Amino acid sequence: MKVLNTLFASACLLGVFACSAPKDSDPSLENLTQYVDPYIGTGGHGHVFLGANVPFGFVQLGPTQYTQGWDWCSGYHYSDSTLVGFSHLHLSGTGIGDLGDITFLPVTNDKREYRFSHEQEKVKPGYYSVVLPEANVTVELTATQRTGFHRYQFPASEQAKIVIDLLRGIGWDEAQKGFLQQENDTVVSGYRISKGWANHQQVYFTAVFSKPIKEFRISDGASVYKKEDTTRKVVLTDKEAARFRESFVKQDTLTSATTFGELSFDFAEAGDLYVKVGLSPVSIENARLNMEAEIPGWDFEKTIADADKAWNTELNKIQIKTTNEKDKRIFYTALYHSLFAPSLFGDVNGDYRGSDGEVRHNVGFRNFTTFSLWDTYRAAHPLATLIHPQESNDYGKAMLAIFNEQGKLPVWHLMGNETNCMVGNPGIPVLADLVLKGYDIDPEAAFQAMKTSALLEERSLGLLKEYGYIPYDKEPSNETVAKALEYALADWCVAQVARQLGRTDESDYFLKRSQSYSHYFDKESRFMRAVSSEGKFREPFNPFHAAHRVNDYTEGNAWQYTWLVPHDVHGLVDLFGSEEAFIGKLDSLFTVEGDLGEHASPDISGLVGQYAHGNEPSHHIIYMYPYVGQPWKTAEKARYVLDSLYWDAPDGLCGNEDVGQMSAWYLLSSLGFYQVAPAGGVYVFGSPLFDAATLQVGDGKTFRIIAHDQSKKNVYIQRAKLNGKEYTKSYITYPDIKAGGTLEFFLGNQPSATFGVAKEDRP
């Protein structure tokens, strides 16, 4: 061990701590954070982040554990009882682990991991605390958008230290290079460069301490990691092997350069140590600027109160009325989780790191990252267009900036990197939805970005242009059915924007290509099936089997993917030959049982028959019944999912959160509607869960939903009114919601024979 002021290291995670927030003092806001249970989704397969953050914040500061498999994607799992630090960046609800950058750990002995119990944790929006008995230290964390704020309560100790770990990462994350320096007696700064799910990540930080640093030392981290991790090898199942390495840390990455920073402090008497840690994707200087702008002083309690107010401000955008406290907890926790991402990816001065690696400056928009678009185009973004207009505007402009920097719209964007994760062109529906809803997005620029992205040769698009579909014998990476169906719905979105711009030829081209789904429909079996270049269906065929990423579907099977035509439900009905045949098959989806096969994806969860609510391709299917005049079936099935597949416990999600999508489905569905078509704003009715709800829809307007006689048995819409007038349609449009007003549902315990049945009343 030696004293140094500068150190190069393979970098890792950073942890920050928070404290209990006082009651929100703003009388205009209802205290809704009291209903949030951050533990929901931290158990089971929820993969939800637990810690301190603010809405849309870059910093997500919280505890980090050893990665022990798929369920540790966020860095924390409720079943675990060992902490290795507190890191400043996390993901929430993803199916792949990454980040975990810049990790802090308070120590009073030679241990570099500590056991804890949930009884010694406290957590609420914007605040996390835990007691580490083996160190006799209490950790508290809070945060602003770009800064983590820690408070450590140390005992009297000659070994009071803060360990800064620039090696450890979560899941796929692997440190490449790190730098750590002591600037003066209270300031340490540095950076971490890593490679993981995102190919190249750069995180800079500046940390300011409330007490002088007595000694700044470094030690060889290799021996520590070898000792810890060789006893913690992860034995992965076949299902997990496709996503995770054989062990947490590759031993060949551990060299004498992989070091820890150890900062010693004088604690002759027990007391508190405060640390402010600013983060930036651009530079150490910007990290300091972010910290000074967001937390200029040392008022820890005020920062907690500010975080609480930030959360209450967002949660108050939907106020619900219900006597069911459990449903209220689930609802506001879902709204809370839906606000973790997309997350800010730029500094207070407007600087950000573009997708080309260049430092750029925002003009007229805030830059964002963590675009989990294959998941979130379905419900999270349609929800955001209703209650988060400013953020939605910035999402669209950030996506256009990404297009200009990398030559295509984002697919799954993380830390300024295109991961190309998942299939299709999921950025297109999100951008098209914004254009069609009249957001302040340049429609011509948006169209060119969508068109260019749709006409690339990559990711099987060349085959789609050549054959009009994607033949399985020409595509070695499989998933051809899923790819083609996702491309078809994206092409439909391009066609709608082209039509709005008066580009008839291009609208016709993309509309025709959006019908490519019909190539896959086998009229004999009535399933979507893989097709060869000779037009023959693949044999043998089992509609239940769902081998992970090595079959014709993505995280699903034929039962689930047959319905992935949300842009043209009536066209899909025509392929079945009649509404009766369509309804019969759709009914069967929710009752049929079958073996998914030993290599099925773990994402296929929350099964109701073969309907898989735990994964996104199924999310719209319940809302297809109104298209064929049977809205009551949507009502009863939506209510079943709301009541049975979401609950207020750590294992409260039937699948992983997928960056807000699982929660967004609950939020929209509990309000009584869901956007099925991927763009344009037709929200199809289901069954409202609450007596009333008020949405803040922007420009000072509110949209109120009243459900008369709502109860566990009264789930069926008998009739409806919009702004006091009888309303017979089984859907509502975006302009009607954004205009403000009142939608009234009158519910009963038996299906209505007339509401939404007539063809002119169907979506």
Side-chain angles (χ1 to χ4, degrees):
M1 184 174 285
K2 58 184 178 179
V3 178
L4 287 179
N5 280 348
T6 304
L7 126 77
F8 285 89
S10 293
C12 190
L13 320 176
L14 164 62
V16 188
F17 317 97
C19 182
S20 341
K23 232 174 150 185
D24 185 22
S25 59
D26 188 337
S28 68
L29 296 176
E30 185 180 345
N31 182 13
L32 297 177
T33 54
Q34 65 180 312
Y35 300 109
V36 174
D37 179 357
Y39 282 117
I40 293 176
T42 60
H45 300 312
H47 301 182
V48 167
F49 162 71
L50 184 82
N53 62 330
V54 295
F56 316 110
F58 178 54
V59 167
Q60 297 188 3
L61 173 62
T64 298
Q65 303 165 336
Y66 289 104
T67 296
Q68 298 183 52
W70 191 53
D71 285 327
W72 275 258
C73 286
S74 73
Y76 177 100
H77 194 266
Y78 190 81
S79 64
D80 205 341
S81 59
T82 300
L83 298 179
V84 294
F86 302 90
S87 307
H88 287 80
L89 298 180
H90 291 83
L91 293 172
S92 183
T94 56
I96 297 175
D98 203 336
L99 303 185
D101 301 79
I102 322 298
T103 300
F104 281 22
L105 180 67
V107 301
T108 56
N109 47 44
D110 293 332
K111 293 178 69 67
R112 295 298 180 264
E113 63 176 59
Y114 289 110
R115 296 184 67 80
F116 75 102
S117 69
H118 296 303
E119 289 72 24
Q120 294 173 305
E121 285 184 313
K122 294 180 181 178
V123 59
K124 64 162 290 177
Y127 171 77
Y128 174 87
S129 75
V130 66
V131 176
L132 304 177
E134 295 164 314
N136 196 19
V137 173
T138 297
V139 174
E140 295 181 273
L141 308 175
T142 188
T144 60
Q145 290 181 333
R146 304 168 183 86
T147 304
F149 202 176
H150 310 229
R151 177 163 65 186
Y152 306 102
Q153 299 174 27
F154 275 101
S157 173
E158 294 181 356
Q159 297 189 65
K161 300 176 184 177
I162 299 296
V163 173
I164 301 179
D165 180 348
L166 296 180
L167 175 63
R168 190 179 304 279
I170 296 171
W172 286 12
D173 181 89
E174 187 175 292
Q176 302 294 301
K177 184 179 180 181
F179 171 76
L180 183 63
Q181 65 182 359
Q182 181 179 356
E183 297 187 11
N184 56 46
D185 66 347
T186 58
V187 178
V188 170
S189 61
Y191 62 76
R192 180 176 191 262
I193 298 174
S194 62
K195 180 179 182 179
W197 186 10
N199 192 54
H200 183 81
Q201 304 170 32
Q202 294 178 238
V203 182
Y204 299 83
F205 75 95
T206 297
V208 180
F209 297 83
S210 63
K211 291 174 65 75
I213 301 166
K214 183 170 67 174
E215 188 175 26
F216 181 71
R217 300 158 65 95
I218 62 168
S219 62
D220 180 0
S223 59
V224 177
Y225 271 97
K226 285 175 181 174
K227 179 181 177 182
E228 293 176 350
D229 291 330
T230 54
T231 63
R232 292 178 176 274
K233 291 288 185 182
V234 179
V235 180
L236 301 178
T237 66
D238 289 341
K239 295 178 181 179
E240 295 170 334
R243 289 191 170 185
F244 286 92
R245 295 183 180 86
E246 189 173 359
S247 66
F248 174 48
V249 175
K250 291 184 177 179
Q251 297 301 319
D252 61 5
T253 68
L254 300 173
T255 69
S256 59
T258 60
T259 51
F260 294 105
E262 292 187 351
L263 289 69
S264 299
F265 297 88
D266 185 1
F267 274 94
E269 297 180 355
D272 293 343
L273 175 66
Y274 295 84
V275 192
K276 298 185 292 186
V277 186
L279 264 64
S280 165
V282 172
S283 67
I284 289 173
E285 293 74 18
N286 277 17
R288 180 183 297 105
L289 184 65
N290 291 338
M291 178 191 62
E292 292 172 346
E294 295 182 349
I295 310 180
W298 291 96
D299 193 336
F300 194 74
E301 300 297 336
K302 181 180 184 301
T303 305
I304 296 170
D306 289 345
D308 186 72
K309 182 177 180 180
W311 281 113
N312 262 323
T313 298
E314 295 302 325
L315 297 179
N316 270 265
K317 289 184 176 176
I318 307 180
Q319 295 181 341
I320 60 172
K321 180 181 178 182
T322 178
T323 58
N324 189 315
E325 293 295 298
K326 174 185 174 183
D327 288 345
K328 185 176 278 192
R329 285 193 297 274
I330 296 171
F331 181 88
Y332 282 112
T333 304
L335 187 52
Y336 166 73
H337 283 150
S338 77
L339 296 165
F340 286 9
S343 53
L344 287 166
F345 192 62
D347 299 324
V348 293
N349 63 359
D351 290 348
Y352 73 97
R353 189 171 298 279
S355 305
D356 52 5
E358 298 296 320
V359 175
R360 299 175 178 275
H361 189 80
N362 292 336
V363 178
F365 73 99
R366 295 168 296 167
N367 195 47
F368 282 86
T369 189
T370 323
F371 282 109
S372 180
L373 297 165
W374 183 84
D375 305 295
T376 56
Y377 82 77
R378 306 167 199 265
H381 282 283
L383 171 66
T385 61
L386 296 178
I387 60 172
H388 302 303
Q390 185 55 58
E391 283 72 27
S392 293
N393 233 22
D394 288 339
Y395 298 158
K397 291 178 180 178
M399 290 171 67
L400 286 176
I402 291 170
F403 168 77
N404 291 328
E405 293 155 8
Q406 69 178 25
K408 67 178 181 183
L409 287 171
V411 179
W412 211 122
H413 229 256
L414 178 60
M415 298 291 287
N417 290 248
E418 181 55 75
T419 70
N420 281 314
C421 189
M422 309 311 292
V423 297
N425 260 325
I428 288 177
V430 174
L431 191 57
D433 198 34
L434 294 171
V435 172
L436 295 173
K437 288 175 177 175
Y439 270 84
D440 183 24
I441 307 296
D442 182 343
E444 185 61 40
F447 173 71
Q448 291 302 328
M450 289 185 279
K451 175 183 174 181
T452 299
S453 301
L455 294 178
L456 295 172
E457 296 290 323
E458 63 172 28
R459 299 184 304 121
S460 306
L461 281 166
L463 291 171
L464 178 61
K465 288 192 288 185
E466 180 180 355
Y467 288 90
Y469 62 98
I470 304 173
Y472 72 79
D473 55 334
K474 300 293 183 180
E475 173 49 271
S477 64
N478 297 306
E479 301 180 286
T480 57
V481 179
K483 288 177 180 179
L485 297 181
E486 292 283 356
Y487 283 138
L489 66 86
D491 287 341
W492 178 85
C493 295
V494 182
Q496 305 313 303
V497 175
R499 184 177 65 177
Q500 180 172 292
L501 292 173
R503 296 175 172 271
T504 304
D505 291 345
E506 288 156 313
S507 176
D508 290 346
Y509 170 80
F510 283 106
L511 193 61
K512 180 180 179 181
R513 216 171 73 165
S514 76
Q515 303 296 308
S516 62
Y517 69 84
S518 61
H519 289 278
Y520 298 90
F521 189 78
D522 175 10
K523 292 189 176 182
E524 184 175 339
S525 68
R526 292 174 175 168
F527 285 110
M528 295 288 182
R529 299 179 55 184
V531 185
S532 72
S533 56
E534 296 178 346
K536 297 180 180 179
F537 292 113
R538 188 202 291 269
E539 297 289 353
F541 171 67
N542 185 324
F544 293 98
H545 279 189
H548 188 56
R549 298 196 185 283
V550 293
N551 72 342
D552 301 318
Y553 313 94
T554 298
E555 299 177 2
N557 62 20
W559 270 105
Q560 292 136 23
Y561 268 89
T562 293
W563 315 98
L564 191 58
V565 192
H567 62 291
D568 189 19
V569 178
H570 294 296
L572 181 60
V573 172
D574 290 342
L575 288 180
F576 275 90
S578 68
E579 289 185 352
E580 291 72 23
F582 176 89
I583 292 168
K585 188 78 168 188
L586 188 53
D587 287 343
S588 297
L589 172 71
F590 296 94
T591 59
V592 69
E593 301 290 342
D595 182 11
L596 296 174
E598 61 176 323
H599 300 296
S601 169
D603 293 282
I604 306 174
S605 58
L607 288 171
V608 182
Q610 284 298 294
Y611 171 82
H613 191 73
N615 209 26
E616 282 62 37
S618 288
H619 275 189
H620 68 288
I621 299 176
I622 283 175
Y623 287 88
M624 296 180 110
Y625 283 108
Y627 288 79
V628 288
Q630 294 191 347
W632 61 87
K633 289 183 178 177
T634 290
E636 60 192 16
K637 289 173 173 58
R639 272 298 187 96
Y640 176 82
V641 171
L642 289 167
D643 290 338
S644 304
L645 298 182
Y646 294 84
W647 56 100
D648 58 341
D651 188 14
L653 293 172
C654 65
N656 64 62
E657 169 68 4
D658 278 318
V659 199
Q661 171 61 26
M662 281 288 289
S663 289
W665 188 97
Y666 183 93
L667 294 166
L668 285 174
S669 294
S670 66
L671 294 174
F673 46 64
Y674 188 87
Q675 180 171 301
V676 175
V682 173
Y683 293 83
V684 180
F685 293 157
S687 178
L689 186 61
F690 306 115
D691 299 328
T694 302
L695 284 67
Q696 304 293 329
V697 294
D699 297 327
K701 297 177 181 178
T702 61
F703 184 74
R704 184 166 171 79
I705 302 164
I706 300 173
H708 298 283
D709 300 320
Q710 182 278 136
S711 70
K712 292 294 182 184
K713 292 183 178 180
N714 292 349
V715 304
Y716 303 103
I717 301 172
Q718 307 297 304
R719 61 190 184 92
K721 287 184 178 181
L722 181 61
N723 298 325
K725 297 181 180 179
E726 289 295 323
Y727 190 82
T728 59
K729 300 183 185 303
S730 59
Y731 64 92
I732 189 170
T733 64
Y734 174 82
D736 282 339
I737 298 174
K738 291 294 281 188
T742 301
L743 173 65
E744 296 178 79
F745 293 113
F746 297 83
L747 304 180
N749 61 9
Q750 295 294 323
S752 167
T754 57
F755 182 79
V757 173
K759 293 203 174 198
E760 61 269 21
D761 290 331
R762 304 177 186 180

